[in-house]
RNA sequence: GCCCGGGUGGUGGAAUGGUAGACACUGGGGACUUAAAAUCCCCUGUUCGUAAGGACGUGUGGGUUCGAGUCCCGCCCCGGGCACCA
């Protein structure tokens, strides 16, 4: 016997019982049989923090688990894996604080998470568990990184980056919110450091185009599109008065307004800034550029809406009009976008207008409404018909035509072209911390680099990656793939050095080495040189950011134990990519963009057969506190899943989370509400078993259910199936409640009807359904059974309520055969007192009759 | 400022252009009970009316339609994202 023997609905006994049963029987292990139709359901894997699971996790995983159980019942071979995104700052910070090893902390946290996830009844296949901090996993993270490196998609740059003194590390643009660190809201500052950068911009166009075919929430697609920020425009080179060998190149989306360009602006970091500054302006410009360089992000964007700038003293020649226009330095122009220089057209750009007003720069209108009406400056309208004015030969043309002609003119003159710019920047891909993947390269001399590459036929980028160390140029030499993984050394202290280097920099024996390029073998440099082949090398002290491991974990699940490759071609072909990917909208840009980038690189290398990782994406809504505010400890409005499970059981928790409202909507948690779904499960329990825990005598294998009851059953089967497929779980739960209310009113019911109901309820409330299934004498576990089918004939009704309306207003209804004619319907309607009263003394002008639904009499 | 999403009872929410408020929560009344809990039944948008019945009602003002929560236009409010990207 599989079932428990409790008489009441004792979920504390039932739930662990079935969790154990499923685990012991490997009920949810994905089959190896690739002839079966497959379904791959994936959650965004958790970061195993010390805090444990919260309700948001529960919602997220319940959605996917229910889908996985539903698809299994539909006959799919389902892959529903779980793993751990375990590198990262919180664990390292905790290690710093406690002096414990991050590996031990991680292990402990994973145990907690595993226990909690099992407790909510998830049907994960634990035989495929992955952990980003496992060397057998991150060897492939490093392997993928090596492919990027070899493709020339990874490079090193010594550039000002966001340095956070409190965290002791550099942060990416994306990790800065309002001029503060996303983690902990610490202040950040600019600091030049040697960084690894990934050339994601090389894929900008494809990352944008690829969005079109994805079944993602529109808002998320729009966010990514905005982040990539494709912009069509023109590059134009302006001559500089008094210079013969330098021109000032600008990017504009409105080359048609070039006759209105009355001044130029270059970014403070522009490489011509110094050259263009005349002696008398030198002090002012230098002071300004120095100030701009030291400004934090906050000061430069948030607080400095008030535009500032300094005149360089130089002039550019407008290539269209031939006019001499001043060149200014101002930090409202960003060095990192376009060419770091603009032509300013104050009449048709709000920013330029504001600046021109402040510094009394001229303003020439060159665009006007075609109807000759006057326009208020700055005139930036994108709607309505406009033409060029004050633009010599181009006056009278539309902007579109003028843009084409000007592009052509400048192109022929060798000073311009139409071009495309992206907002997307290359991806800062190194952290000065311990708890991340080490980079699989060593720094060597030019001579050793060239020799190693020649002798050992290492795959290296076309242009070597180099960096200066203590005034000496070093080359980045990849370590052989056969020597992966490159593990983290044991360190005494996890504290950041505070110098911009990771704790790894304090490990001289690991850092400075004798190195064998063909095997990757290394010994400390203080030892004797082991042999002729060995060269002097220095390891990379940066580690990879947390995004690295999460960029490809969905690929590892299809073949998690593979030692020859990140996953076999067969498994990648069969399982492909997730059929549904569920996770929070907060990852709309970063994780989802990075993963798409890596996936496309792997596709280009022939490693994966598809060019997009996540065809279908769904974001669960945030669960708010009882007070409608975001749950937080300080507010004291946090609902704890462990406590809820203790009081009501996992089935009630799952069911209630799904019943709260649309899955993607933000919803407040109502502690009273869960009692409703709990009562529903109690009701189901009592309908199935009597007070002794034996099958309820009303369930009779031989009874014939009424047509009405069967209609309800089949409607329910249909609606629950449809709603599951369309991720409308809340209305599926409602329908099952309606069914249970109907079931309660029956005197007797056939066992088959009850069993079918348990099957459709099972994805939502798997434990109680397995238990009742077994108690009703079923020997096969419910989780292994096939979804019931509904009979469309059962859904048809011969009679339906016909609604009577007069002038579109409800005046009554009547149960009538669907087939009746309009005339008969009117006769019935007129027998209704209310209808008759409304029609009395008036003439029927028009009749709208929809059989079985509505009869609307239009009277005057 | 720009781009999205959303405003429906006391609450969460439901409604292929066709009876607005399904299903729940809360509240009220009743049954069972010595009593309570649990369970079951009834009521629960506003308003006028003793009642029968009527009027009003999906943020707001218009429009389309026989008929609008749903479609179109304007406005208000809330939530999210982006924010000097030329």
């Amino acid at each position: 016997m599989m079932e428990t023997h409790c008489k009441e609905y004792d979920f504390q006994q039932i739930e662990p019982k079935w969790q154990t049963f499923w685990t012991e029987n490997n009920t949810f292990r994905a089959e190896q049989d690739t002839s079966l139709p497959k379904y791959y359901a994936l959650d965004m894997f958790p970061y195993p923090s010390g805090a444990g699971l919260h309700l948001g996790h529960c919602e997220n995983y319940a959605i996917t688990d229910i889908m996985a159980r539903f698809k299994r019942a539909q006959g799919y071979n389902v892959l529903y894996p779980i793993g751990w995104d375990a590198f990262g700052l919180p664990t390292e910070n905790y290690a710093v604080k406690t002096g414990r090893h991050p590996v031990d902390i991680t292990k402990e946290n994973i145990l907690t998470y595993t226990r909690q996830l099992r407790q909510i009844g998830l049907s994960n296949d634990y035989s495929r568990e992955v952990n980003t901090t496992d060397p057998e996993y991150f060897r492939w993270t490093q392997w993928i990184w090596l492919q990027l490196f070899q493709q020339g998609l990874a490079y090193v740059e010594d550039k000002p980056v966001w340095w956070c003194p409190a965290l002791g590390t550099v942060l990416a643009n994306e990790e800065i919110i309002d001029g503060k660190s996303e983690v902990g809201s610490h202040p950040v500052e600019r600091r030049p450091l040697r960084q690894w950068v990934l050339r994601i911009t090389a894929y900008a166009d494809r990352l944008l185009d690829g969005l079109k075919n994805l079944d993602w929430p529109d808002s998320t697609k729009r966010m990514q599109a905005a982040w990539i920020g494709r912009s069509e425009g023109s590059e134009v080179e302006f001559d500089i008065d008094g210079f013969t060998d330098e021109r000032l190149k600008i990017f504009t989306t409105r080359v048609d307004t070039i006759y209105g360009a009355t001044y130029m602006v270059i970014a403070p970091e522009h490489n011509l800034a110094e050259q263009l500054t005349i002696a008398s302006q030198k002090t002012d410009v230098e002071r300004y550029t120095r100030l701009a360089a030291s400004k934090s992000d906050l000061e430069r964007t948030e607080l400095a809406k008030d535009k500032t700038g300094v005149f360089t003293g130089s002039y550019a020649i407008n290539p269209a009009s031939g006019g001499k226009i001043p060149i200014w330095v101002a930090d409202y122009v960003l060095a990192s976008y376009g060419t770091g220089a603009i032509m300013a057209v104050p009449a048709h750009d709000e920013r330029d207008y504001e600046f021109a007003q402040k510094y009394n720069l001229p303003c020439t209108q060159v665009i006007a409404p075609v109807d000759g009406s006057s326009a208020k400056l700055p005139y930036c309208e994108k709607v309505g018909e406009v033409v060029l004015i004050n633009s010599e030969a181009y006056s009278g043309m539309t902007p579109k035509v003028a843009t084409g002609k000007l592009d052509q003119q400048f192109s022929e003159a060798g000073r311009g072209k139409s071009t495309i710019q992206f907002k997307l920047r290359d991806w800062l891909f190194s952290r000065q911390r311990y708890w991340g993947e080490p980079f699989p390269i060593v720094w060597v001399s030019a001579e050793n680099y060239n020799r190693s590459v020649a002798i050992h036929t290492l795959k290296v980028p076309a242009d070597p990656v180099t960096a200066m160390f203590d005034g000496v140029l070093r080359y980045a030499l990849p370590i052989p793939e056969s020597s992966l993984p490159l593990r983290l050394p044991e360190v005494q202290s996890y504290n950041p050095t505070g110098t911009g280097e990771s704790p790894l920099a304090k490990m001289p024996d690991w850092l400075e080495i004798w190195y064998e390029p063909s095997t990757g073998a290394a010994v400390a440099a203080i030892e004797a040189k082991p042999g002729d082949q060995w060269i002097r090398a220095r390891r990379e002290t940066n580690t990879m950011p947390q995004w690295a491991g999460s960029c490809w974990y969905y690929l590892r699940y299809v073949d998690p134990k593979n030692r020859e490759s990140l996953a076999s071609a067969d498994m990648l072909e069969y399982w492909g990519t997730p059929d549904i990917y569920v996770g929070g909208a907060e990852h709309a840009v970063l994780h989802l963009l990075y993963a798409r980038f890596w996936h496309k690189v792997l596709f280009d290398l022939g490693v994966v057969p598809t060019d997009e990782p996540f065809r279908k994406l769904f974001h669960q809504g945030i669960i708010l506190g009882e007070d409608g505010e975001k749950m937080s400890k300080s507010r004291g409005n946090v609902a704890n899943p462990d406590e809820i499970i203790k009081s009501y059981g996992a089935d009630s928790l799952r069911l209630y989370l799904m019943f709260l409202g649309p899955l993607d909507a933000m919803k407040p948690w109502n502690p009273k509400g869960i009692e409703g779904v709990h009562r529903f499960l109690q009701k189901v329990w009592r309908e199935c078993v009597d007070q002794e825990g034996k099958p309820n005598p009303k369930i009779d294998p031989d009874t014939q259910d009424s047509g009405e009851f069967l209609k309800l059953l089949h409607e329910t089967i249909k609606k629950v199936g449809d709603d599951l497929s369309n991720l409308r779980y809340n209305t599926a739960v409602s329908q099952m409640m309606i069914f249970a209310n109907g079931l309660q009113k029956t005197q007797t019911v056939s066992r088959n009807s009850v069993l079918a109901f348990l099957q459709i309820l099972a994805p939502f409330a798997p434990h109680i359904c397995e238990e009742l299934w077994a108690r009703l004498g079923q020997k096969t576990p419910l989780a292994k059974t096939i979804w019931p089918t509904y009979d469309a004939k059962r859904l048809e009704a011969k009679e339906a309520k016909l609604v009577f309306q007069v002038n579109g207003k409800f005046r009554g209804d009547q149960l009538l055969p669907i087939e009746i004619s309009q005339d008969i319907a009117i006769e019935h309607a007129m027998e209704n007192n209310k209808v008759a009263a409304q029609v009395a003394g008036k003439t029927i002008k028009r009749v709208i009759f929809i059989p079985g639904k509505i009869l609307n009499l239009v009277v005057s």
Side-chain angles (χ1 to χ4, degrees), chain A residues 353-375:
Chain A
Y353 185 81
E354 189 192 325
F355 192 81
Q357 288 285 301
K358 180 166 175 182
Y359 293 104
N360 274 316
L361 292 158
C363 187
T364 309
Q365 185 185 348
V366 292
I367 302 284
V370 74
D371 60 15
S373 61
S374 70

Side-chain angles (χ1 to χ4, degrees), chain A residues 491-626:
Chain A
V491 297
Q492 271 79 52
S493 160
Y494 305 102
N495 276 308
T497 58
T499 62
E501 287 195 287
S502 81
L504 299 178
K506 293 186 295 187
M507 302 300 300
D509 289 358
W510 178 83
L511 187 66
E512 299 291 349
I513 50 172
W514 291 110
Y515 175 75
E516 212 291 307
S518 64
T519 62
V523 298
I526 51 164
E527 310 275 327
K529 181 175 178 175
D532 283 348
Q533 295 293 328
W534 295 64
I535 57 176
R536 205 40 191 84
R538 178 191 164 90
R539 293 211 189 268
E540 172 61 65
T541 56
N542 285 313
T543 53
M544 297 187 198
Q546 203 185 339
W547 309 111
S550 60
C551 263
W552 70 281
Y553 72 109
Y554 59 95
L555 297 173
R556 188 62 176 172
Y557 283 137
V558 309
D559 194 10
K561 306 270 193 307
N562 198 312
R563 294 186 64 88
E564 268 68 56
S565 59
L566 62 85
S568 75
D570 285 353
M571 286 298 112
L572 286 167
E573 185 64 45
Y574 174 62
W575 290 110
T577 51
D579 293 283
I580 188 164
Y581 190 33
V582 180
E586 65 273 19
H587 296 109
V589 178
L590 307 181
H591 160 61
L592 289 167
L593 190 65
Y594 296 155
R596 291 181 63 220
F597 166 46
W598 279 33
H599 195 92
K600 284 181 186 297
V601 173
L602 292 174
F603 173 69
D604 290 350
L605 290 168
V607 176
V608 296
T610 55
D611 70 340
E612 284 286 345
F614 311 120
R615 282 276 152 217
K616 181 169 175 61
L617 172 72
F618 187 82
H619 299 308
Q620 80 278 9
I622 296 168
I623 307 284
L624 303 170
E626 224 181 310

Side-chain angles (χ1 to χ4, degrees), chain A residues 9 179 208 328 372 407 422 459 652 661 714 760 811 830 856:
Chain A
Y9 171 36
L208 185 65
W328 285 63
D407 276 340
F422 292 92
K459 277 188 281 176
S652 293
H714 286 256
I760 59 171
R811 297 295 169 184
M830 296 309 289
N856 185 13

Side-chain angles (χ1 to χ4, degrees), chain A residues 7 73 119 168 219 375 403 640 671:
Chain A
K7 294 174 182 175
Q119 227 170 40
S219 57
T403 298
N640 178 300

